[in-house]
């Protein structure tokens, strides 16, 4: 089983690199942001709840996210592994993921941290907001998302270092170059 946590601030390239990793390693992909956006699009109760948080750049409560994650995970059959994109985002989520995998005789193989300077994150997300119209890609909400990342999500770096699962990757450069660096790290495992 290859269970990868792809990690980084908003705009660091988690979704971009996940697509490539899925294609190369044939593993499943869980993007919690995509799951929530699909719920919003479909106008579900969950979507209505999620929209309130996402539009404010805030995290959805842990209990809700952990349930969503477990139900998507359990929908995969004959999986070679999973790339977790956007989850975990808090220590409580990391602990829940560890427990969920342990109950299935698994663990996180590696946590890949894409590090990108803040001015580049802002540039990428403002550009994407103009191109795609994603509601949370405006300057005010991006600033809130970055604040939430630093206060609630970045502590996971030390958490995964402690687990001996941490892999730093420079997320600045070409998409192909970054992908090659990730593959080199994963292939060594
Ligand atoms: P989510 O969708 O996970 O958003 P995010 O973490 O803010 O990440 P992004 O999708 O903005 O960026 P990314 O790192 O995937 O980068 P991408 O590849 O798209 O979550 C959205 C919201 O949902 C959260 O704010 C929260 O409210 C909620 N949520 C989700 N998960 C949750 C959880 N677990 N708990 C609680 N709440 C949760 O790239 C960004 C842009 O940069 C793209 O345009 C791309 O083309 C470009 N780009 C990528 N790589 C490069 C490169 N190397 N050079 C130049 N441009 C690049």
């Amino acid at each position: 089983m290859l269970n990868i946590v792809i990690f980084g601030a908003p705009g660091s390239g988690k979704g971009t690199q996940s697509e490539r990793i899925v294609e190369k390693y044939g593993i499943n992909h869980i993007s919690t942001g995509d799951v929530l956006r699909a719920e919003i699009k479909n106008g579900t109760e969950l979507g209505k709840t999620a929209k309130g948080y996402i539009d404010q750049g805030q995290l959805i409560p842990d209990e809700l996210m952990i349930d969503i994650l477990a139900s998507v995970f359990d929908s995969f059959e004959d999986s070679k592994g999973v790339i977790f994109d956007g989850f975990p985002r808090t220590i409580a989520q990391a602990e829940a993921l560890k427990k969920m995998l342990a109950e299935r005789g698994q663990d996180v193989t590696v946590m890949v941290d894409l590090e990108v300077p803040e001015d580049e994150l802002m540039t990428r997300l403002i550009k994407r907001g103009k191109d795609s119209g994603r509601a949370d890609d405006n300057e005010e909400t991006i600033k809130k998302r970055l604040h939430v990342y630093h206060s609630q999500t970045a502590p996971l770096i030390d958490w995964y270092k402690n687990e001996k699962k941490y892999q730093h990757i420079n997320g600045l450069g070409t998409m192909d170059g970054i992908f090659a660096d990730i593959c080199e790290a994963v292939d060594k495992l």
Side-chain angles (χ1 to χ4, degrees):
M1 284 290 173
L2 178 61
N3 290 320
I4 301 175
V5 169
I6 188 127
F7 186 86
S12 56
K14 300 182 294 293
T16 304
Q17 295 300 331
S18 290
E19 282 178 21
R20 292 161 185 242
I21 292 166
V22 164
E23 199 175 320
K24 178 171 161 91
Y25 295 99
I27 57 178
N28 292 111
H29 180 202
I30 301 179
S31 159
T32 44
D34 285 351
V35 170
L36 296 170
R37 281 185 289 275
E39 296 285 338
I40 293 172
K41 200 172 163 208
N42 293 332
T44 65
E45 280 307 310
L46 170 59
K48 286 177 196 154
T49 305
K51 188 170 172 12
Y53 291 99
I54 292 176
D55 286 355
Q56 291 303 313
Q58 299 300 318
L59 297 183
I60 277 73
D62 284 335
E63 316 81 72
L64 193 53
M65 267 334 293
I66 290 164
D67 284 350
I68 295 169
L69 194 273
S71 83
V72 178
F73 185 83
D74 284 335
S75 70
F76 298 141
E77 285 169 17
D78 298 330
S79 181
K80 288 187 194 172
V82 174
I83 182 154
F84 297 93
D85 163 8
F87 190 102
R89 266 178 148 93
T90 62
I91 303 274
Q93 291 183 15
E95 286 168 346
L97 177 62
K98 189 174 169 68
K99 186 163 171 268
M100 187 190 85
L101 290 173
E103 283 165 2
R104 292 156 180 83
Q106 300 179 43
D107 198 356
V108 167
T109 313
V110 63
M111 183 265 225
V112 172
D113 176 22
L114 298 171
E115 190 186 1
V116 176
E118 203 125 313
D119 56 344
E120 169 72 8
L121 296 171
M122 188 57 92
T123 307
R124 287 184 190 180
L125 294 178
I126 295 279
K127 180 173 184 301
R128 185 178 64 185
K130 283 189 186 133
D131 294 345
S132 73
R134 198 171 124 172
D136 57 348
D137 282 346
N138 60 76
E139 193 169 343
E140 194 191 333
T141 313
I142 295 166
K143 281 186 183 156
K144 288 187 192 159
R145 287 159 65 198
L146 289 171
H147 176 75
V148 165
Y149 169 77
H150 288 297
S151 59
Q152 298 187 56
T153 305
L156 286 172
I157 292 174
D158 280 343
W159 197 89
Y160 278 105
K161 280 183 180 166
N162 199 39
E163 291 276 302
K164 312 242 178 312
K165 305 290 183 192
Y166 181 80
Q167 176 66 55
H168 175 267
I169 296 283
N170 179 6
L172 197 57
T174 66
M175 294 175 191
D176 287 348
I178 296 162
F179 180 57
D181 289 346
I182 295 173
C183 293
E184 194 186 332
V186 169
D187 291 341
K188 271 190 203 152
L189 296 168

